[in-house]
Amino acid sequence: MADADIGLIGLGTMGSALALNIAEKGFTVAVFNRTTAKTHAFVEEAGDLAARVVPCETLEALTAAVRGPRAVLLMVPAGAPVDDQIAALDPYLGVDDLIIDAGNANFRDTMRRMETLDRPFLGVGVSGGEDGARHGPAIMAGGDKAHWDRVEPILTAISAKFDGVPCAAHLGETGAGHFVKAVHNGIEYADMQLIAETYGLMRDGLGMAAADIAPAFAHWNEGRLSSYLIEISAAVAAAHDATTDGPLLDVIVDAAGQKGTGRWTAIEAQHLGTPIPVIEAAVAARNMSARRDLRAALADTFGGTERLQLGEDRLEAALTCGKVLCYTQGFDMLRAAARAFEWSLMREDVARNWRAGCIIRSAMLDDMAEAFEVAPGKTLMEAPHFADILSQTIGALREVVVTASAAGLPVPAMAAALGYFDTMRLERGTANMIQGQRDYFGLHGFQRLDSGESGQHGPWAEG
Ligand code: 6PG
């Protein structure tokens, strides 16, 4: 009997957690997985919630189980598997049936699918890892608002709540949802990198053991840096390894993995011509971390690092400053994309959406939402609350970057944040030299500062 409220395809970690979340909120969910054994194992492990789960062995059975007009949520790996899944599902769907891709899709794929598919389609970013998917993720939807309205009750019910406000929203048209998720992940990379650099300074610059680093992060988590990523960094630093009877952190290989969403953010920022140097530095840092053999060889050639004289409070302030600058860049990128793709996307809605459930949730996001609301069109650097924070902390960021660099300790994301700050507050920049050079070798022309005239050339043009 077709009485399920929604169908869900793909019972991997995130898909299983979302399906249980949906059932827990009182909806009936029909589930399908390519490997049937996984579908049955899922239902067996669902406990009481199994009563609201309809296991399906075929796509035909899945579509037959869902009430029309249907909504089917895809939780399959991004890229070709999504296209393959859509092609396999399509013959069983009616013209009004809605497909929701809730994986980490590249927003350009989402836009292509919306253009080429002859049916309702939503691209939805879901953040929060397995725990978030199970108990309340942040949900960032893109596509037609009317299509969102059809599934809004379910997706709102399963989402995280901040002071009772659901972290689930329609954020814009076409690929806006997956674009916002990509920027979320770019910020996630940058936030993680800034924290990792701070950890590195405590470990190598201050000679602190993991057991001493953990309480520092835990303490910062009680202040303005309060966030999920700082909280878990404290937990990671505190974790014990039974094999070595020492800190777990000390036995984890120092090469970061990545599935690609942070890289997409860097690529799209280049397409949009919007500066996100902290995020780019974080992506590059992951790539550098992977070159372990080369790093070991170069350590032999070029020698080691020195100790630092730096208070922990200066590190906290530098981290705060870097974080505000990184978010400034991420939100600027969202504004640039909204203009370029003509999305109705509002930064305050995104900031509100990220306040709970997602990986980058933090106390600061509530203030960011307010800043965008009271000063539309302004960057975070211009918003009084964040301008104050920057004024109070930029000295610490400068001190940390300078002393770390002098000691040979790498802080690429912090240095990128400082470079961005200094560039953006320098009224008379240095690109006049670049314009002169361009005109010299290519007669590209420049604009005069005094008269405002464009298309001007230097004396080299006369010969
Ligand atoms: C989230 C995360 C998640 C991401 C993983 C791994 O918001 O829940 O962003 O979607 O896929 O954190 O990402 P990387 O493998 O690229 O680090």
Side-chain angles (χ1 to χ4, degrees), residues 227-266:
S227 61
Y228 174 71
L229 284 171
I230 291 285
E231 178 193 327
I232 66 165
S233 301
V236 169
H240 180 256
D241 174 50
T243 309
T244 54
D245 193 23
L248 178 68
L249 197 48
D250 293 354
V251 297
I252 299 178
V253 171
D254 52 335
Q258 52 181 319
K259 295 204 195 78
T261 38
R263 187 187 311 140
W264 292 343
T265 315

Side-chain angles (χ1 to χ4, degrees), residues 104 127-129 181 184-185 188-189 257-261 286 359:
N104 262 339
S127 176
K181 179 65 188 358
H184 167 284
N185 279 37
E188 174 183 305
Y189 276 43
Q258 52 181 319
K259 295 204 195 78
T261 38
R286 285 206 188 188
I359 300 296

Side-chain angles (χ1 to χ4, degrees), residues 10-12 16 31-46 55-58:
L11 291 171
S16 300
V31 296
F32 169 85
N33 195 75
R34 209 160 39 120
T35 323
T36 305
K38 207 167 183 174
T39 310
H40 292 302
F42 170 75
V43 178
E44 269 161 40
E45 286 160 24
C56 303
E57 296 195 358
T58 62

Side-chain angles (χ1 to χ4, degrees), residues 296-317:
L298 295 178
D300 283 344
T301 312
F302 294 114
T305 58
E306 288 164 25
R307 284 288 160 97
L308 292 178
Q309 292 292 329
L310 209 56
E312 278 177 38
D313 56 330
R314 302 301 278 164
L315 288 176
E316 187 271 348

Side-chain angles (χ1 to χ4, degrees), residues 114 122-124 139-149 152 156 167-174 176-177 180 343-346 349-350 353:
M114 279 178 186
L122 285 175
V124 175
I139 296 178
M140 303 149 231
D144 279 8
K145 174 78 166 54
H147 298 153
W148 163 253
D149 289 341
E152 187 267 341
T156 297
C167 293
H170 175 260
L171 294 172
E173 299 69 24
T174 66
V180 170
W343 292 330
S344 57
L345 185 150
M346 304 292 282
D349 293 339
V350 176
N353 190 287

Side-chain angles (χ1 to χ4, degrees), residues 300-345:
D300 283 344
T301 312
F302 294 114
T305 58
E306 288 164 25
R307 284 288 160 97
L308 292 178
Q309 292 292 329
L310 209 56
E312 278 177 38
D313 56 330
R314 302 301 278 164
L315 288 176
E316 187 271 348
L319 188 52
T320 302
C321 191
K323 184 172 170 131
V324 171
L325 291 165
C326 147
Y327 278 70
T328 301
Q329 295 166 16
F331 278 109
D332 277 2
M333 180 169 174
L334 287 175
R335 187 172 52 163
R339 281 187 192 144
F341 298 107
E342 297 179 351
W343 292 330
S344 57
L345 185 150

